[in-house]
Amino acid sequence: MPRGSAGGSLWRMLRSRPASPARRGRPRALALRPPCVRGPRAPRTPALPAIAALALGLSALGAAAAPAGAALTLAPPAPTAAFDQPEGVALADVDRDGIVDAIVGNRDDQAIQVFRGGPGGFGPPSAHETGHNLPVAVAAGDLDGDGDADVVSSAALGGQGGQVAVLLGDGAGGFAPAPGSPFATTANGPNVGSGIALADITGDGRLDVLTGGDDELVLLPGSGTGALLAPVVTVLSFSELRSVSVGDFTGDARPDVITGSDQPQQLSELYENVGGRLEFHSLRADTGNEALAGDLDGTGRDDLVFTRLSGSDVGSLLSSGDGVFTADPLISEAGMLFVSGIALADVDADGRDDLAVGGHNAVELMAGAGPAGAFTPFPGSPIAAAGFNANVALGDVTGDAQPDLVYAAKDADRLVLVRNLNAAAASGPAAVDFGVSPAGGPAVERTVTLTSGGPGFYRVAAATIAPGGSGGVAIAADTCSGRPLAVGATCAVTLRFTPGAVTGGATGALAASLTLADNSPAGSRSIALAMTVAAPAGPGPGPGPRAPPPGPGSGGRDTTHPAIRGVRLSPATFAVARGATAKLAGAAEGRRAAAAVGAPVATGAARTRVPRGTRIRFTASEAARVTLTFERRASGRRSGRRCVAPTRALRRAKARACTRFVAVGALVRRDGRAGANVVAFSGRIGRRALRPGRHRVTVSATDAAGNRGAAPPTAFRVRR
């Protein structure tokens, strides 16, 4: 059917369909894409062998080269036998060894399989019964709050549809059914392995389960114990649910939901999270059957990748952050027919998400190509793979910090690992000199900065000091250990030498070493540390001998910027409390104010537990003066490249609408401490209350030496 006629019939259907009773009075924000005209495709030649057909698909991409700097070396596919027709694949560390493992669903059994990851790849799987047939869709997360990965599976359409099983992990690779598992959903089950997702939809800090089937999206709220509460059913507008994806598409720091469809119209529906409820926001035509959220253009907003029901189309939609996507998706053609499973991750360490696509007889790896949100094939892609390949996943299953490709070869009854062989390297100093310090003098700090040189992610496992006769050197701060670095990214280890802590009070030239255990081919790097302690002056007239002046950059001045991490508001949606928040206070005063947070709010004759005020939590690398700057989200109009306050002239000129942030005030905490911090915030800056609506807060810190560091803004919402 021509695309124009399909779009026209869909528009007529939307115009004629009455609103359901639950939705009457609520306008629908339709994000329909106007019909577009595409040039004719080259006809496919049935007599071509499979490899030639793959080459034809690759040439249809315009023979585009991978982005500059993209480098990826892959090992040959390594299959491991699985149950009949494996389909759903989820990756999680089930045994707490720091390496992700694979959880696989299937169409022909009553159990899921767990494949443990390791340096040599996957070992033999273990089977775990779910209590329902056809556990095709699987997901992993911590549902009972014990820090161990748990597994959720949803029964496929045609099995015991309408059931979800929860298997609680013990942290050692074992699983046991949660009390009451499996749980009824009322829906008929998803068709494929992508029909399940986990997210905190209700905002209570517990993971909830999203699944469904036919025309129903089903939310099963988590209880925090592993058991699932009664299902909350949302009837879809048009879709026959195939996939579920979660992302913040409306910019309010809450997880929203996108559904994919098996219907010929190829629809996706966006459901906005409004106070823990999923409400219809908009419908997108001509998007596809599989949809996945990810930041494609590096703006920090969740965009969308999708696949088409048939053919080899892969598209991307860029988000404006308020539930609206670009008017025309960027369409590529993957190197196989009947694309299905999709996954996003940065596999080449360039700081951009890359795309894996599974389909008939092949799996494609495509490099993220920059701000346009487009993708181009990596050299050597697509990877020939016999049969229909269902879900794909990207993650480090070998422990070398490089994301690997995992896919379920459904027709071959195999789970396949394609190992990422990119190596890691980093540049940094070979030695560090602390200069000359007087015995008993002040501490001197030096910072060792490492820069990742690629082509893969560089990761330091641990940093240690070997005293070597010194004992006065300690690690003051470490932003390297456990953190994979993309190519060009840096991390730092701050070292502090205290002359008075030298073993035995030794003086003169001393030595130590900093050892960084890493994932480079050598396995570690050692940095020599040198320091000199001047002996105290002897007795006699006049001043004693003066120690030599410190060398360049060794005067003991603190040049390390404080780091602020893990900023979050608990809760992220709240009402303004009655008490004021001091604009200038010590952290201890702020902690005493926390008792005012969480009081009930009266609504009519009833009292409901709507939180008043919130707590702003963050971690600081050192003691510092902390500033919390608040901004309110407001509408604006484009004036050149800027988003400014709307004026009559801009409206008359039909300047494009945009979103801006307006400063509303700041709080200062004078004695922020190193480590975890909590600031009680009533929703008022002084006595001035924030308006209801969307806001954001930026946490920055300034230490005693004047060094400043800040975290990215964190969104929150104030309710009436």
Side-chain angles (χ1 to χ4, degrees):
M1 178 184 293
R3 184 168 300 185
S5 62
S9 64
L10 174 61
W11 177 248
R12 288 191 293 274
M13 182 167 56
L14 289 171
R15 293 287 301 272
S16 62
R17 188 177 191 266
S20 66
R23 295 189 181 116
R24 285 192 186 109
R26 175 181 171 87
R28 289 185 176 179
L30 295 179
L32 285 173
R33 171 180 178 277
C36 66
V37 179
R38 298 176 65 186
R41 288 184 180 172
R44 300 189 183 274
T45 307
L48 284 176
I51 297 300
L54 295 179
L56 178 61
L58 186 58
S59 67
L61 284 160
L72 186 62
T73 303
L74 300 174
T80 303
F83 281 155
D84 288 347
Q85 297 192 68
E87 186 159 330
V89 179
L91 299 182
D93 182 5
V94 304
D95 51 7
R96 291 198 173 193
D97 63 352
I99 302 174
V100 298
D101 312 295
I103 301 104
V104 180
N106 64 90
R107 286 191 175 271
D108 276 345
D109 217 298
Q110 289 186 331
I112 55 99
Q113 287 185 292
V114 175
F115 295 74
R116 306 273 279 273
F122 290 126
S126 58
H128 306 272
E129 293 189 359
T130 60
H132 63 69
N133 284 330
L134 314 193
V136 62
V138 291
D142 183 9
L143 273 74
D144 56 0
D146 63 356
D148 299 323
D150 308 312
V151 174
V152 182
S153 66
S154 187
L157 180 67
Q160 290 172 317
Q163 289 191 329
V164 166
V166 176
L167 302 179
L168 301 181
D170 61 6
F175 294 91
S181 178
F183 304 93
T185 70
T186 76
N188 204 15
N191 284 325
V192 293
S194 52
I196 194 168
L198 302 182
D200 179 14
I201 299 295
T202 58
D204 60 1
R206 303 163 181 165
L207 282 180
D208 309 312
V209 178
L210 291 156
T211 187
D214 293 336
D215 63 347
E216 292 183 350
L217 173 65
V218 179
L219 167 68
L220 293 105
S223 66
T225 65
L228 301 179
L229 305 180
V232 180
V233 177
T234 300
V235 178
L236 303 178
S237 299
F238 297 98
S239 297
E240 181 178 313
L241 187 137
R242 176 185 174 94
S243 68
V244 178
S245 184
V246 176
D248 179 14
F249 301 107
T250 56
D252 59 359
R254 289 198 191 99
D256 308 308
V257 178
I258 285 274
T259 63
S261 170
D262 266 343
Q263 286 191 341
Q265 292 93 347
Q266 301 180 106
L267 308 173
S268 287
E269 297 183 21
L270 170 58
Y271 287 86
E272 182 180 3
N273 187 338
V274 180
R277 303 184 315 276
L278 295 176
E279 296 187 3
F280 179 83
H281 181 281
S282 56
L283 181 143
R284 183 88 198 185
D286 205 19
T287 46
N289 56 333
E290 299 276 348
L292 183 64
D295 180 12
L296 306 184
D297 54 3
T299 62
R301 296 188 291 261
D302 280 329
D303 307 305
L304 204 64
V305 176
F306 61 86
T307 65
R308 289 280 167 76
L309 186 64
S310 61
S312 55
D313 284 347
V314 177
S316 57
L317 293 171
L318 301 184
S319 171
S320 62
D322 55 2
V324 178
F325 296 91
T326 48
D328 196 6
L330 304 165
I331 302 296
S332 302
E333 191 166 302
M336 80 287 288
L337 291 174
F338 305 111
V339 294
S340 55
I342 48 179
L344 287 168
D346 182 6
V347 299
D348 59 356
D350 67 349
R352 293 188 292 259
D353 273 347
D354 306 307
L355 176 66
V357 184
H360 184 62
N361 283 341
V363 175
E364 178 107 66
L365 271 173
M366 307 176 79
F375 296 92
T376 57
F378 280 108
S381 183
I383 301 163
F388 183 79
N389 302 286
N391 279 30
V392 295
L394 295 168
D396 176 20
V397 301
T398 56
D400 60 358
Q402 313 311 325
D404 307 299
L405 169 65
V406 179
Y407 62 90
K410 181 179 174 184
D411 295 340
D413 298 336
R414 296 289 186 269
L415 180 70
V416 181
L417 167 65
V418 180
R419 183 169 179 174
N420 183 344
L421 298 180
N422 275 4
S427 59
V432 173
D433 189 353
F434 286 87
V436 179
S437 302
V444 179
E445 289 190 352
R446 293 285 181 272
T447 298
V448 175
T449 301
L450 301 177
T451 302
S452 175
F457 285 95
Y458 177 74
R459 181 182 64 192
V460 173
T464 56
I465 297 290
S470 168
V473 184
I475 296 175
D478 178 5
T479 63
C480 291
S481 296
R483 173 188 166 202
L485 297 180
V487 177
T490 62
C491 67
V493 178
T494 301
L495 306 174
R496 180 179 293 126
F497 172 58
T498 307
V502 174
T503 304
T507 60
L510 305 173
S513 63
L514 169 66
T515 300
L516 302 169
D518 60 19
N519 65 333
S520 66
S524 67
R525 67 187 300 145
S526 183
I527 299 173
L529 309 177
M531 63 286 297
T532 301
V533 179
R546 181 175 297 177
S554 62
R557 181 178 177 272
D558 179 8
T559 59
T560 303
H561 295 271
I564 301 293
R565 296 186 181 86
V567 180
R568 63 188 179 92
L569 283 80
S570 177
T573 299
F574 57 92
V576 174
R578 296 186 180 90
T581 306
K583 290 187 178 181
L584 178 67
E589 299 170 58
R591 287 190 289 273
R592 285 195 295 271
V597 177
V601 176
T603 53
R607 293 177 68 84
T608 58
R609 296 296 300 183
V610 177
R612 276 186 176 174
T614 187
R615 293 177 177 87
I616 304 173
R617 305 176 187 271
F618 58 91
T619 301
S621 62
E622 59 179 294
R625 178 187 178 99
V626 175
T627 302
L628 297 91
T629 304
F630 295 87
E631 298 173 290
R632 174 175 53 84
R633 181 172 172 172
S635 60
R637 295 278 177 165
R638 285 286 179 192
S639 177
R641 295 186 177 183
R642 297 184 303 143
C643 184
V644 300
T647 63
R648 185 175 300 176
L650 289 174
R651 291 192 185 98
R652 281 200 303 265
K654 296 183 179 180
R656 203 174 92 187
C658 57
T659 299
R660 62 196 179 98
F661 284 90
V662 181
V664 294
L667 304 176
V668 176
R669 295 298 175 259
R670 295 169 294 191
D671 57 348
R673 56 185 177 181
N677 288 260
V678 181
V679 175
F681 179 52
S682 66
R684 300 174 185 269
I685 302 173
R687 296 188 176 278
R688 180 185 175 189
L690 297 184
R691 300 181 192 175
R694 297 172 181 172
H695 301 258
R696 68 183 187 183
V697 59
T698 300
V699 181
S700 60
T702 305
D703 64 16
N707 303 306
R708 185 179 181 275
T714 301
F716 64 94
R717 177 180 284 186
V718 176
R719 293 180 58 181
R720 295 185 183 278

